[in-house]
Amino acid sequence: MVSSGDADVSSTVLDDPVGESLRGHHAHLARRVGGTAAYLPEVATFAAVLLEPTPSDWADLAALLGPGELADLFSASVEPPADWAPVFSLEGVQMVADPRAPAGGVPVAADVVELGPADVADMLALTGVTRPGPFWSRTDELGTYWGVRENGVLVAMAGERLRPPGWTEISAVSTAPQARGRGLASALVRTAMRHVVDRGERPFLHVAAENSGAIALYERLGFEVRRRVRFHGHRTPGGTPEALVRP
Ligand SMILES: CC(C)(COP(=O)(O)OP(=O)(O)OC[C@H]1O[C@@H](n2cnc3c(N)ncnc32)[C@H](O)[C@@H]1OP(=O)(O)O)[C@@H](O)C(=O)NCCC(=O)NCCS
């Protein structure tokens, strides 16, 4: 157990952040069969099985997703049956922030605004350029998102995604190439961290292991690595042999 504001928060829920979110804060955005669950497709491709899945759990997930579909297992330490062909695999790290540790670096006076449904097209355009990780047309419904506009153009954003009990994941951290190195991402991540800590939760995030620039940025803001993860997706059995790509 680790301390978060007033409450003690267990970090074991971070071993299954997708399943813990789908069963809890994001239950209204979930599809389910048996013990398996997945987000509505426009919200996220992430799916969850129980931590020690049986063949019947895999059958439930196949029924939930349909034949030949992407089973995006995110960071789950599970291995699907042999007839679930691998689609992608990416090494990453999960990082957590101690809410008592002040975020490092010099605060930047960026004009941070809360984003809403009217900003979704701009969020999709920005993440389409920066590729911080998958972002879909209803991903913004997972939490609060913030951004910085310059001359009306959304040049930086960050927000909240997975929400296992006691924790909120900070995600979609993006700055347009022409606006980088000015502290905009730092300002936005700080804003999200403050929001999370103020409601008594702890911030965490995921980042590709090869993204050393972003990892250094997060370390300056007070995050540290909790564990190494592997993001992986597979094709459910059956269906037509169309190419599936990582979202
Ligand atoms: C990672 C990313 C979000 C960083 O955005 P950013 O707005 O440039 O980040 P910041 O400006 O806050 O910090 C980045 C650098 O600028 C420096 N910096 C911060 N404030 C500064 C300021 N006021 N003046 C000059 N430099 C500053 C930081 O020290 C940091 O230095 P570095 O070059 O050693 O890394 C951006 O590169 C990006 O969109 N990348 C692609 C998407 C991605 O990988 N997202 C993370 C997914 S987990």
Side-chain angles (χ1 to χ4, degrees), residues 29-51:
L29 300 171
R31 303 175 281 158
R32 294 159 179 275
V33 171
T36 67
Y39 281 100
L40 299 175
E42 323 81 68
V43 174
T45 52
F46 307 144
V49 282
L50 300 173
L51 279 179

Side-chain angles (χ1 to χ4, degrees), residues 124-199:
L124 287 166
L126 179 58
T127 53
V129 171
T130 59
R131 316 236 9 120
F135 194 88
W136 300 271
S137 61
R138 291 180 59 192
T139 298
D140 65 304
E141 294 178 30
L142 292 170
T144 304
Y145 284 77
W146 296 268
V148 174
R149 287 189 179 276
E150 289 181 351
N151 301 318
V153 177
L154 185 68
V155 293
M157 63 176 275
E160 302 173 325
R161 192 171 63 177
L162 300 177
R163 256 190 99 185
W167 298 81
T168 297
E169 183 196 30
I170 295 175
S171 175
V173 181
S174 291
T175 301
Q178 72 275 15
R180 288 183 186 166
R182 294 198 266 124
L184 296 184
S186 304
L188 285 158
V189 173
R190 279 172 203 279
T191 300
M193 290 172 80
R194 201 176 315 119
H195 196 254
V196 171
V197 170
D198 281 354
R199 64 170 177 244

Side-chain angles (χ1 to χ4, degrees), residues 8 16 25 28 33 46 48 56 60 63 133 147 155 165 169 199-200 206:
D8 277 343
D16 180 21
H25 282 292
H28 62 294
V33 171
F46 307 144
S56 129
D60 284 345
V155 293
E169 183 196 30
R199 64 170 177 244
H206 294 92

